[in-house]
Amino acid sequence: MHPAPSVILFTVLSGLGFGFMAYLSLGLLLVQGGWAFVAWGLAYALAVGGLLASTTHLGNPQRALRAFTQWRSSWLSREAWAAVATLLLLAPVALGDWVGFGLPYFWRLIGGALALATVFCTSMIYTQIKAVPRWHHWLTPVLFMGFALAGGALLGLQGGFATLLLVILAGILAAAFAVGDKQFARAGASMESATGLGAIGSVSVFEQPHTGENYLLREMIFTVGRKHAAKLRVIAVICAALIPAALALMGGLTLTLLALIVHLAGAFAARWLFFAEAEHVVGLYYGKR
Amino acid sequence: MTCLPGHTEKKLGLAIDLDTCVGCHACVTACKGWNDQGYGVPLSDQDAYGADPSGVFLNRVHGYQVQPDTGGAAQTINFPRSCLHCEDAPCVTVCPTGASYKRVEDGIVLVNEDACIGCGLCAWACPYGAREMDADAGVMKKCTLCVDRIYNENLPEEDREPACVRTCPTGARHFGDFNDPTSKVSKLTAARGGFDLMPEMGTKPTNKYLPPRPKDQRQEASLLAPLLDIEAKGFAGWLDRILGKI
Amino acid sequence: MGAQPKIDTSPKVSDEVRRTTCYMCACRCGINVHLKSGKVSYIEGNRDHPVNKGVLCAKGASGIKQVTAPSRLRAPMRRVGPRGSGAFEEISWEEALSLAVEWMEPLRDSGPEKLAFFTGRDQSQSLTSFWAQNFGTPNYAAHGGFCSVNMAAAGIYTIGGAFWEFGQPDWEHTKLFVLFGVAEDHDSNPIKMGLGRLKERGAKVIGVNPIRSGYNAVADDWYGVTPGADGLLILSLIHCLLEAGKIDLDYLARFTNAPLLVRSDEGAEKGLFLRNEAGKPVVMEGGKLVPFDQKGVRPDLGASYEGHRTVFAHMAERYLSPDHAPEAIAARVGIPASRIRGLAAELAHTAFDAPIVLDREWTDFRGETHSQMVGRPVSFHAMRGISAHSNGFQTARALHLLQVLLGTVETPGGYRFKPPYPKPAEAHPAPHSKVTRGKPLDGPHLGYPRGPEHLALNPDGSPVRIDKAFSWENPLSAHGMMHMVIANAHAGDPYKIDTLFLYMANMAWNSSMNTAAVMEMLTDKGEDGEYVIPRIIYSDAYASEMVAYADLILPDTTYLERHDCISLLDRPISEPGAAGDSIRWPVVEPDRNVRGFQSVLIDLGARMKLPGFVNAEGKALYADYADYIVNHQRRPGIGPLMGFRGEDGTGEGRGAPNPAQIDRYIANGSFFQAHVPDDAAYFKPWNAGYQDWAVRVGLYDAPQPYLISIWSEPMRRFQLAAEGFGDRQPPDAMRARLKQAMDPLPVWYPPFGDDGAEDYPVHALTQRPMAMYHSWGSQNAWLRQIHGRNPLYVPTKIWEENGFAEGDWAKLTSPNGAIVVPVAHMPALNPHTVWTWNAIGKRKGAWALDEGAPEATKGFLLNHLISELLPEKSDGMRWSNSDPVTGQAAWFDLRVRVEKTTPPSEAQPAFPKLDLKGVQA
Ligand SMILES: Nc1nc2c(c(=O)[nH]1)N[C@H]1C(S)=C(S)[C@@H](COP(=O)(O)OP(=O)(O)OC[C@H]3O[C@@H](n4cnc5c(=O)[nH]c(N)nc54)[C@H](O)[C@@H]3O)O[C@H]1N2
Ligand SMILES: Nc1nc2c(c(=O)[nH]1)N[C@H]1C(S)=C(S)[C@@H](COP(=O)(O)OP(=O)(O)OC[C@H]3O[C@@H](n4cnc5c(=O)[nH]c(N)nc54)[C@H](O)[C@@H]3O)O[C@H]1N2
Ligand code: SF4
Ligand code: SF4
Ligand code: SF4
Ligand code: SF4
Ligand code: SF4
Ligand SMILES: [Mo]
């Protein structure tokens, strides 16, 4: 799949934002006054920034509101609802933290849950797609939640807990890579099944349907740059999880900031791989994956 | 409307005969031509005369080569690919806006372009690459099964069929109702063992593909027996024999 | 869940539909052009049209992009910079026409042969040839010489017609269809429709082709023959059929020259038919000589008379010989002997064990009435895979012989002629080449020689024509030899010319052999600093490579903007059951300063006061082409269009001009058909009913039944000359080659490309892509997304030997040069053959394409590897790379060597960019 920057920004930033929000909402990081403004501001900036980035991916962003209509069937629609609900529900909480009024804890609880649900919905947008076997696995939501929780914990200055989550994230990443590599084969789609010609023999491409470019080749059959995948995987695990884990353990604002930057770099690498390494079955028609 | 209708009155679709398709691409450009001026926005092209031309087509024809497992000569098979109007169309359920829907009356899967935000999710969800985003208009395009032809009262009755079917010079594309067991497409599918593409994706395609007939079969008729032993009887003997003189 | 959107399922399709004829190939399908606000909005096939019955090919359905292409020429242009530079200035039509007249008119008096008028992919040859004839130059032909004259001529000399325009399989009845060497063909949609019918009926399709793609991909059986060896294969099938006695003796005796006696007495008549005093060939019946056409005659096929034996005996003896046995030729053909025997058996079983019988009474030319029509449901079709080899003429003849032995020609289930065919060589004109200054040529340029007396030779034996057609080198070059014109004119061999007038041929690119050298010839200057070919006038509709080499450009309209005429005088759209012709008419007006070429030609004719174009007072006879189509008469009552003739428009074939004729055609979908009666639908060459019908509709003026020529007397006459008989004698160096090539019975000899090709072990071919037409599909925004570049397809053996992988490039070397091109693997391919799509490669800057267009950077032509001349013979002569009988360009004789190489930045050779911006719309 084409690793579009807008989508990478969206998933990484809003994931982190909503993860952080969950900590703030649940009061695992207690902030007040100016600090509350900074913390909630950061969470909102990340979440909303990510969401805005995602709209640049749209062909007709002016109609984006329509995306709220199909919550019954569409994870993207659900995500839109969850995101907006989270942002709305938590706004008074944030305001309260800043100016100093309190809301009932169950409110904060619902807000926190919604923030995580948003991330879950985002992950399900990908997970549901059977045509991309690498994504179509329970590890995908786990991965997204892992990023949100670990990243959020990092930002939420959770110290050892953050370290623990980050180490778990490293494990999830490694597992996702390992499992992902086998997913395409497990899905059972092949050129033979795609064409139905397997009953005759083994199938290969004689001629592509078009020598020119098209949307499918650009969007679904992204083969460029995969050769750097192995290196990037290591970088992703080290940067997104292991270095921040170590830094988080040491604590302190500067180190946390540093950890955050390294984590984001790793997260971007991991998310780039998430797309770039994901092979859509339509590639079978083109003899490419 | 992005929930799928549980049942559709008709199941309109195509039966595509891989035994007959010569790979001429006529259906490709007929489809482009019709849909460029028909349903929804035109099918745009980018860099049309440039170094990297690209554009939207709703129907594409692949060429494959198949090496039979039994040995023997390799075969070439032409393979048209367009929307299969799946019963369990994942492209529909993923759509956040309701732009993608499956029609209750005939099962045609359509995009309501006025509602489409161009998120591309439906194209991701389609295993068959049947959806292409229009780069100019930012909306998703796909085969409409020529919904603006098949019921079109401005067209003569005989022309109320998809543009690709009407143009196919070999008659390799058949259009009809798969819910009707007496329709041509149902009968062809039954008789020829029409099959689904990527059944493992669980999409339950409506369109069926008719497999190529077995090729390069040894001929069963007996070989020709010589009239006589020409070497022994000579040409004159042959001549007499063939002209019935001996 | 919201409500399902309401959509308009009955939108108005267009404001208006105008029915005309497609032009993207010579198939000439009927089209419905939809217009919205006066602009073309959609093109679909015309269901009522006899050619395509509603279907269209990929090109036809993309016609809209042909009419809006940015490459369309804008206005008349005069060259201002060096040739090939693309520097032109726009001029008015008046200036352009005056200039053309200024250049050409003086030549009529000083030497009409100094004008060479060649018209490429012309669909109006009856007009262009008429013009050239009246100008008086002997140098006229269209593209047939580089295209497929072998197929046409071999058919006409043998059965009285060939495939495509001449005839087609009986799609409704045939049970076994064998396709030789066809990728696409002119009969594009009808073949596809026919294949579809066969598939629907469960009839069997066999493909004989080194490459298994397209039609061959859907064939039930594939015979991956080695290029150039079909003749051997076919003669071997004939061997098997003869050996088993599986031939239609009755058919041979009645309808072919098999029973004719071939003279065996030494001398100038040896090998010609024994004739009676009236000059009529004779056959033996009951030990007596009788005229072949006597009523009730039952000729003895095995007879001999004073040592003269029948054609049948000669034929059988030759092909029964063991060197034609499958086992003897299998290796050369690349097909196991057992499969060849199997194929022969299949042909025989289908033809003889499952005949088709129609209860239709008919009377033959001898006056005998038959109660039934008995058919042999085996049919064949062939095209350039056979004809574009230097042994193509004889191979095509062999194929016709095979059809004839099976009794399938013009019988139900077999092959059927399309009017005006059947038409044997004798019913065609002979070539004319007598030049008289200031006067028209003595007759039509092109025709079918019956013997050396019809060659176009000067008294000193040198060729009259610039292309050397109808010379000893290529005696039966019935379509001329367009591919030799530039090379010969450049070499001054046989002479130099002044003006080269070209129409619709991309001679600076894909229709030339040795393209790079041709571009040099076009720009080469003599010692006097003048161009060796002093003047080039060219009519194109688009900014093709050739346009860059014109001194004067006459910009044509596109096909939807002009009148055209697809005439029975020329190359009509008949079906086996009907004579048919059609028109094009301006369904939209041009938005540029361009004019239909035919109208321009008529204008030029009038300006130069050519006979046929001006009246007695010297005034123009025709306002434009439309006027000519309606009012020109070739013979009294016979004009370009057969339909709606006569004052009242009821005339079919014959009748006075009808001023409303074009309107009647338009109302009828732009075509007309005259239907053949049922009892005349088969056995046409011998069917009195058909012959009478043909006379009635004006196809001929008297019945002309004939016998199929298994033994060709015209060819034998050339052999006799080569043996020293007759007063027209070939040069000694040519005698051996003539003797071999002009064999009166079909023979096989190795293609000339095999000579000295030991270092070039691989055959290299091209195929037509179905979705692209020669050079001009590439300007089409849709089609070029389908075929924007072409790889070299390599069979498994060569792929593995070279260790090729996807993305690799190869250097391809022939005796003429080398090219470097991308490769792709194709298992379903003859193991000694590589191939690519034809004419995808483009020169940078042409066709209004971007400099970096894939057509120019990755696309390539094989033409650079093909020489227009064969390697030097021992006597220092270099013959043209053509069939020795017809002069057909031997494109497919090409032999190459394949080596893996490092990928270059673009396909090699790369040529400097053309700058044609100034000429484009
Ligand atoms: N290697 C290789 N070379 C081959 C062949 C092969 O098989 N292999 N095949 C050969 C054969 S069979 C042929 S016929 C030739 C074909 O070769 P060409 O005859 O050169 O055919 P085109 O490339 O179609 O060029 C025809 C020209 O007509 C112009 N044209 C198009 N429409 C119009 C119009 O309406 N009016 C006018 N005035 N001009 C128009 C086009 O722009 C183009 O420049 O190629 C030959 N070359
Ligand atoms: N779409 C499209 N249609 C066209 C044209 C076009 O450019 N595009 N061009 C038109 C013109 S001008 C022409 S002349 C016709 C030509 O139509 P075709 O006769 O179909 O010509 P080619 O495409 O050159 O195909 C030649 C075929 O012969 C095969 N072949 C080559 N050598 C041999 C051999 O030795 N033996 C056998 N058995 N096969 C052999 C090749 O593999 C190829 O399949 O097409 C016309 N129609
Ligand atoms: S038009 Fe028919 S034969 Fe041609 S590619 Fe399409 S399905 Fe195949
Ligand atoms: S083929 Fe693709 S686009 Fe069409 S219905 Fe099925 S999933 Fe949807
Ligand atoms: S691109 Fe349009 S049709 Fe497809 S899922 Fe998004 S909104 Fe729905
Ligand atoms: S049914 Fe209509 S839209 Fe669909 S592929 Fe055919 S022509 Fe295109
Ligand atoms: S075969 Fe195609 S290009 Fe040729 S005339 Fe017919 S529709 Fe036009
Ligand atoms: Mo041709």
Side-chain angles (χ1 to χ4, degrees), chain C residues 22-29 55-61 186 188-189:
Chain C
C22 185
Y23 197 67
M24 257 67 71
C25 85
C27 188
R28 301 158 306 183
C29 302
V55 311
L56 279 189
C57 79
K59 298 162 286 149
H186 296 286
S188 171
N189 281 328

Side-chain angles (χ1 to χ4, degrees), chain C residues 808-883:
Chain C
D808 278 348
W809 288 57
K811 180 172 167 201
L812 216 60
T813 316
S814 81
N816 200 53
I819 60 177
V820 180
V821 300
V823 292
H825 178 204
M826 183 180 191
L829 178 57
N830 173 288
H832 313 292
T833 303
V834 295
W835 71 280
T836 191
W837 295 121
N838 190 43
I840 300 293
K842 296 282 129 53
R843 177 123 175 233
K844 279 200 191 87
W847 303 102
L849 298 181
D850 190 273
E851 212 179 316
E855 290 88 341
T857 55
K858 298 198 183 77
F860 65 93
L861 296 181
L862 285 189
N863 299 49
H864 304 300
L865 299 179
I866 306 174
S867 173
E868 73 278 25
L869 294 172
L870 294 170
E872 232 171 71
K873 298 273 152 194
S874 50
D875 59 1
M877 284 214 353
R878 291 189 72 184
W879 290 335
S880 81
N881 182 8
S882 304
D883 186 285

